[in-house]
Every structure is written in C-alpha cells, then in structure tokens.
C-alpha cells in the first residue's frame, strides 16, 4: 500500500506541474498576440512608436515657401521628414530624416515629434510628445512652415471639409481667405 500511495501522489504532482506550465504558456501566448494600446495623452519618451488604428482620414498640407502641397490618406501613421520612406518627404536640410509622425487616434489626428535635434513647432509651441492636430494648424519643421489646410474623415461628405464649406455671406467679410492672399499674409 505504501508504494502505491507514493506513486499516486507523485503522478498527481507531475500532472499539476504540467497543468501549471500549460497555463503559463497560454498566458504568454495570449499576451504576445494582443496589440498594445496607445494613449495619446502619454507624452513619455518610452511610448510606443506605433499608434493603434482607430480611423482613416484625408489630410492636406501646404508648404509656405516652396508652394508644395500634399494630400495624403492617414490610416495608422504617416511620417514627415527627409527620409525616402517618409509619406511626406521634405527636402529642406533643416528637417530631420524622420521629423514627426501624424497618426489617427480617437476622433482625429495627432502629431508626434520624433526628432531629438530639430524642433517641431505647432501653432507657435514646441511639442515634445503628441498633440491633437486640427484643420488650420501651422507647423514649423526646421525652417519649413507648413499649414494643415484640412483634415477630413474618409467617408465623410466632401461638403464638410474645411476647404469646401463656404461661410455665410455675412461672415465672409470678416474671414481672411488664406488661399487668395499674398505669401506674406499666408502665415
């Protein structure tokens, strides 16, 4: 009787150890497959380099000095900089290879500074982490001045985009039309 009891206890302990190993493996496997979420309010340098996709937007940007403009669809992330793999490639030498990133987050877009050497300035304020991006915002990347002409959610009717929505006649007299002014008044 003594040896049979010992064998039964030994086999029971081995079975429990195998179940525990299986549970630990399953937890590891599930955590490895679960994507990390991004909190756009987290401006720490340790934050994830990718943003979880939450929407698709069309954004139009215009450079003041060169007259260049870009219309891009943002589905996840798009990079601005001199690097060849940037979605918006800027040729000015004062811009970093990957200066900043525009990402879809929540109900709009955010911009994140990526450069440690060159400043990314949004509406006159240097950004160090992530900030919401709006139509009409002005960016300075190195020496380049860039305006966000409009941001439009994909699937949204074209009439709701900033550039296609005329102001009522009584309001138009007080609004500065940036597209019809001289480059001196642009900024």
């Amino acid at each position: 009787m003594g040896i049979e009891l010992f064998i039964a206890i030994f086999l029971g302990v081995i079975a429990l150890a195998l179940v525990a190993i299986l549970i630990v493996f399953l937890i590891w496997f599930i955590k490895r497959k679960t994507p990390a979420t991004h909190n756009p309010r987290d401006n720490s340098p340790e934050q994830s380099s990718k943003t979880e996709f939450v929407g698709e937007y069309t954004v139009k940007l215009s450079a003041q000095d060169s007259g260049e403009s870009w219309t891009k669809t943002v589905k996840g992330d798009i990079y601005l900089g001199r690097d060849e793999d940037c979605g918006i490639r800027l040729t000015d030498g004062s811009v970093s290879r990957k200066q900043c990133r525009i990402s879809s987050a929540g109900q709009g877009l955010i911009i994140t500074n990526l450069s440690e050497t060159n400043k990314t300035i949004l509406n006159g304020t240097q950004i160090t982490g992530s900030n919401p991006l709006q139509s009409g915002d002005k960016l300075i990347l190195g020496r380049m001045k860039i305006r966000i002409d409009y941001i439009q959610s994909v699937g949204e009717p074209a009439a709701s985009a900033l550039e296609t929505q005329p102001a009522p006649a009584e309001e138009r007299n007080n609004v500065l039309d940036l597209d019809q002014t001289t480059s001196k008044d642009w900024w």
Side-chain angles (χ1 to χ4, degrees), residues 122-149:
L122 174 64
N123 297 325
T125 304
Q126 180 179 347
I127 61 173
T128 55
S130 297
N131 290 69
L133 198 58
Q134 305 289 325
S135 296
D137 281 350
K138 296 173 183 171
L139 296 171
I140 299 177
L141 308 175
R143 289 185 300 266
M144 289 195 73
K145 294 180 179 181
I146 298 173
R147 181 181 66 214
I148 307 299
D149 294 325

Side-chain angles (χ1 to χ4, degrees), residues 10 44 73 87 125 132 144-145 156:
F10 180 74
S44 66
T73 299
T125 304
M144 289 195 73
K145 294 180 179 181
E156 184 177 298

Side-chain angles (χ1 to χ4, degrees), residues 17 20 50 82 89 96 121 132 135 168:
K50 293 285 183 187
R82 290 189 343 255
R89 189 157 183 237
S96 294
I121 297 174
S135 296

Side-chain angles (χ1 to χ4, degrees), residues 38 47-51 76-80 99-103 110-114 130:
H38 173 74
Q47 75 186 26
S48 170
S49 65
K50 293 285 183 187
T51 303
D77 298 327
I78 190 166
Y79 294 88
L80 286 77
Q99 178 81 31
C100 59
R101 176 182 65 231
I102 295 176
S103 308
I110 59 169
I111 186 165
T112 305
N113 179 49
L114 301 175
S130 297

